[in-house]
Amino acid sequence: MEFEKPLAEWKGQVQEIKLSDKVIIGGEQVFPNYSFDGKCSNKPAVAIEINDVFPENWPENLKEIWNTDTLKSPVERAKKAEKEFGADIIFFDMIGTHQDRENISANQAAENMNAILKAVDTPVIVRPDGNFEKQNKIFAKCCELAERQIIIGSAKEDNYRTITASALAGNHFIIAEAPIDVNIQKQLNILITQMNFPLERIIMDPMTGGLGYGFEYTYSVMERIRLQTFMDDPFMIPPMVCCVGQETWKIKEIKIEDEKYGSKPERGINWETTTAIGLILSGANIVVVRHPESVIKIKNFIDSIYQKSDCLQQGI
Amino acid sequence: MALTGLQIFKLLPNKNCGECDVPTCLAFAMKLAGKIAEPQACPYISDEAMEILGAAQTPPIKKIIFKNGEKEISIGAETVMFRHEKTFVNQTLIALEMTDNLSAEEFENELKRIESYKYERVGERLEPECISLKNVSDDKNNYLLKLETIQSKTEKIIILSDCNAEIIKEAMQLVDNKRLILNKVEDLSETLNIISDTQTPIVLSAKNIEELLEKVEKCEAQNFKNIILSIDFNNLNELLENNVLLRRSAIEKGFKLAGYPILTECTEEDELHSAILGICKYSSIVLLKKFSGASLFPLLTLRQNIFTDPQKPLQIDPGIYQVGEPDESSPLIVTTNFSLTYFIVSGEIENSISPAWLCIVDAEGMSVLTAWSANKFSGEIVGKAILNSGIEEKINHKKVIIPGYVAIIRGELEDKLPEWEILVGPQEAADIPKYLKEIWK
Amino acid sequence: MSKQIIELAIQGYQEQLNNTKAVVQKTENKIPADKKITFPETAYNLPLYFAFTGKKIHSISDAQNLIDEIEKKNSNIISADIDLTETLDLGIDTIILQELQLAVESSAGEQINFIPDNVLRSLGVQLVSGDISGIAVIIGAARDEETAVEIIRTLQEKNILSVLAADYEGKTMFEQLSNQNVEMTLDTYIVHLGNKTESVVLGLNWAIRAALTYGGLEGGQKEKCLKYCSDRIPAFALVLGGVDAKKVATAVGAIAMGFPIICNFEVPEISVKDDHGFEQKLLTFELNSNKLVEKCLEVRNIKVKVTEVPIPVRYSSAFEGERVRKEDVALEFGGKYSKAFEFVEMKNLDEVENGKIEVIGKKINEVEESSALPLGIVVYVAGRKMQKDFEPILEIRFHNFLNQATGIMHIGHRSFVWLRISKEAKKAGFKIKHLGTILQTKFLDEFHSIIDKVEIHIYTELEMINKFMPTAEKLYHERDQRMGAMTDESVDVFYSCTLCQSFAPNHVCIITPERLGLCGAYNWLDGKAAFQISPTGPNQPVEKGEVVNAEIGEWEGVNEFVYKASNNTLERFSAYSLIKYPMTSCGCFECIIAILPGTGGFMIVDRTFLEMTPCGMTFSTLAGVVGGGQQTPGFLGIGLNYIVSKKFVSAEGGLKRLVWMPSYVKERFREKLDKRADELVVPGLVDKIADETICSDLAGLIEFLAEKDHPALKMGELI
């Protein structure tokens, strides 16, 4: 029987961003992953999260992978993430800069960042923690002192000026984070570009709700953002990043001890993988995870779903 | 084009008899418009109205109803491409495969294992609804014996897989037809003859959409309606393409042949992947072969999330949550069980990096202000929730922080918790870190 | 531009030309021909020159060529017969010559206080992010050292970066401050550029690099660079003492970059009109040194960001819900204890003294504990974008702003105010004046895009209250009249609200003067103000455009807007109809209108009514029917106040069709409903409307309506 494929026409295109020679994200000319409708140029990238201080609160089975003598320093962990675990991007989350934690200074934070930048070849997302005042100091320092181009996060509706100015001066990329809200996301993109920051250097973080903890909000908001992109809304074109690991490894569902829930380590990996894949389906261009097994599984998924398309392999 | 409530109302007798269980025809019309009632529920409806409504009421994707113990489960009846447009109506069923070549004891153990996969999350029971029994032994008696075991020991829907007409015939005697699905039948035309009266749901499978639609056409010609579609795939790209194109054909193009639910047989090497894809992208049944609690639990949670009505937000289990690692002197914060409220409040407590206890009150999934105005977050209810939560054994103080927006319940809460100090927290979650640092300390 | 200034500018340019020439000639022999002429630690070579031309100076011969080029270009300018543009160009040439001169001197080894790129960056980030609120280029010296300190302290308080340059009659600001031991570092926001007039250019070439760095601009984009400086770099020059020709030429250069000049001596003023039609001063003066900085801020339109409210008690939204109980009261105002009122009034920019807070009457320490005083709070505001219509929107915020201070409780508004100050707050040092401080700070902070100046008067003397009360009452009355007289026909623009699209993705509220938002929280004025405050926010202006159907309230412009904002789902929209293209609902409606077949009318039920209603559905069932951004003819989510609007479902006959509503809603609106009924010439209508005390079912309702002869029965069915 004759079947005429009901292909959809999508107007517009997700901004393609070249983060490094090997890592290019975005650029799809159709709804995410719909390569049968048209061109999806680049596969989503998988990032691994590395913290500046050792994250003691991670669950044991995740911690033990990262907590060996040889992996004491963040630099070693980042190297391992790149070389052995196949991270396309390193997500350097500086939890130690929080004023009520180690309160690492802005200068020290920039130094820590440069050590990572030197140790790995991947693009690096840098994100400080703390109140706005503290974060702003770090934005300024990191953007000024970074020895190569970085992706700095996160600009928010209430605090986007310093980070934007800093990234503008240092020619860096910026992550624009909105609280699971299409309109605020768009507004934030506009506000950032009104400071003369090019839209081509923005990556959106729609904020990730963990699976079982608001996942469906993020899922639908991302779909809606992309539908707006393809209604040719010029301000909704940036690619999207989702911080999956952070919203996975803290929830109670992965800590339950009970046979019917299966093995704990496997469950954690599956939870992280399921969340990441779900968000890739709704349009994530970068997913950030913590477990190396998750990286493998997610990449297998990506390879399979991009089988037919003539897209670029990340990291080659 | 779907009819509006008022258009439907005009077709109704306007007797306001109440026999359909709602007091007015208008209310009934609105239920019909919302597709939460069937026109047959009206005893006085005219034939003409019935015809118009029947046509307008038929969703672009065929609805198939099963019996699962006492309750009914449906698949299909979907109306949208994206969940935010309205909602995904019937959630993807999860089917687990068993083979008939196990010994009786092994089979029972396997069945026990499958039956153990039952979970509770936010007041809902999550479990796989179907068992697929694959005919490997090619031994009719053995197969029927195993089938008998499943049918007597579980309430699950049963998929008969790889069976010939003879087995099917006998199986249908053994099991309630409302619990059966036929998959990979050996002889399609013969099977169709057997089930022409019972209309037992049957899976039509093919290598591609064209081939599949030919089969559908053939079945429809024989007036057979309970069809489920299945297409082989070599990689996830093909699975995604097939599912999206079928759904699009049915919903956007009104192409009737494509308007049936889809069954996805997950491939063993990336079973989790194809199941996730199936749940997110339009499969009505996903069939798993290798499975464990470690994969089922996240999949069931994913399904729960995806099939939540976007306008009726998901709830969080009421009770005490730890944010960070709180100790006996950590603060106690109370809020509602609207999942987004929970998500944002706990996130802000994390930002503050001071660990805290979070008491989630059952407010029927409403946000703080809405819950308060609907009287679901009163001093009485909050007080009771705190007393019943067992938090008193975990902390050495009697202070509780309530959301700033409901400062007004403070007095009432003081009455309910006379020994407690009621602190009024900030209105916005974003101010929690500041509050914990400056006020709590 | 005055002749005098033009003459001085030409003369100053000539002097500068000669000066630069001399320096280059003098230096020519001192430095090798291949030595690069540049400023240290910069990628921009000679930043002004680079920004304006895209070219760089490489050698001393390049420098010579540049001088020749400028000289040649201006060779025929000898008379004062040139226009503003030509004069400004001359100013630019002057500062380019100055820059060249300093670069040559620097290359020859002379100490020049050029601001290197890395400092530019760290200051630039603070500038672009708004942490530095402005840049004062101070030229000359103050009258005396004390005044110098006073000026600099005021600037510091306002987070303004001061760059010091040039002398006046041998005195410099730098010396004056050094003598007074003022710390001068980047951290204290003071930078010394040098004692020569030429050193001013080091401030200007810092500004131009900010344009290049943060404006994403390239060398050679002269107009864009100038526009960036003018629009985005809040710099101004403060000229102290007096001027000579060279200073005038330099100042003209600064004006050309969009930086206004404020002098502390009399000069002929120059001004132009800005985009909003406001007078933008380019050259002006202020003789009173106490008001000098304030004048600078006003001229350059600099808003100082205040993050902390400077009061002795803690201030945060966390305290908003707090109550001050009777036994904790130190002092209270209003309520049933005394007369009190508050109002906001708009004035012209020159009528308001920003920062002034005046308390007339008894102070907190002069009264007995737990006693009451009368209170009048009068807030005068002014701003380039302020409108009379915004007064009530500002006034309503008194409550929210004052309540956020711990130990302060504010209830009510207008002349029904009740305010308490707790004993604890008093102990912490809270004074009545601090009420003003809070309002002053918060108004400027939250409404900075519409308010430029705030002046506050607080009265605690009965005599003053009695004097002002009539003014206040008149103001309230006029305002209500104006709002009441405002109709949908009287405006060209409505406002949208898409705040709720987070959960109702395709829903758009259209707010008109006669139909407030369905949540009841936003009226047309709120929408208008919200758009001024946040132009990219959820409230956007909607041009009505051509009328499609006046009866149902349909306009072309609104249709277009709604189609787009609803993600291409809603093609037509009516503002006044329940049946034809009714407005969609997000779910936040205060109440719902539902058609009642058989009565010819409709009913209203609000959120708090939980029982069954005559339509056969409860509020929550109805909410499921109308919510979610779908058009559902026959059903409408609305804000309660819409009931008494003249446009209330006017397409179908409005109030005359209302047959049932909850009794407490009826009572709450009785007076206004009666008035509307009279206007519709159906006196006694309200008593013909049923409520739950009469019936909750359709049959009972029809009976009641027949008995009362409700007009809806004769109006024919709605469908």
Side-chain angles (χ1 to χ4, degrees), chain A residues 42-55:
Chain A
N42 304 295
K43 291 183 179 181
V46 183
I48 291 183
E49 176 185 339
I50 302 294
N51 296 130
D52 56 345
V53 293
F54 194 81

Side-chain angles (χ1 to χ4, degrees), chain B residues 404-405 407 427, chain C residues 315-317 319-323 342-344 377 379 392-406 408-414 416-420 435 438-439 442-443 446-447:
Chain B
Y405 277 120
Q427 292 189 341
Chain C
Y315 189 88
S316 153
S317 61
F319 305 114
E320 203 179 328
E322 256 188 3
R323 294 277 170 266
E342 57 194 24
F343 70 79
V344 172
I377 304 181
V379 175
I393 290 157
L394 302 176
E395 207 171 272
I396 208 101
R397 297 299 297 276
F398 271 59
H399 177 72
N400 163 256
F401 290 160
L402 293 175
N403 264 330
Q404 290 188 42
T406 174
I408 310 301
M409 180 181 90
H410 180 279
I411 289 174
H413 67 139
R414 291 188 168 180
F416 307 99
V417 185
W418 183 19
L419 196 138
R420 279 179 161 173
L435 297 171
I438 295 170
L439 295 172
K442 294 303 282 183
F443 276 132
E446 294 209 7
F447 294 93

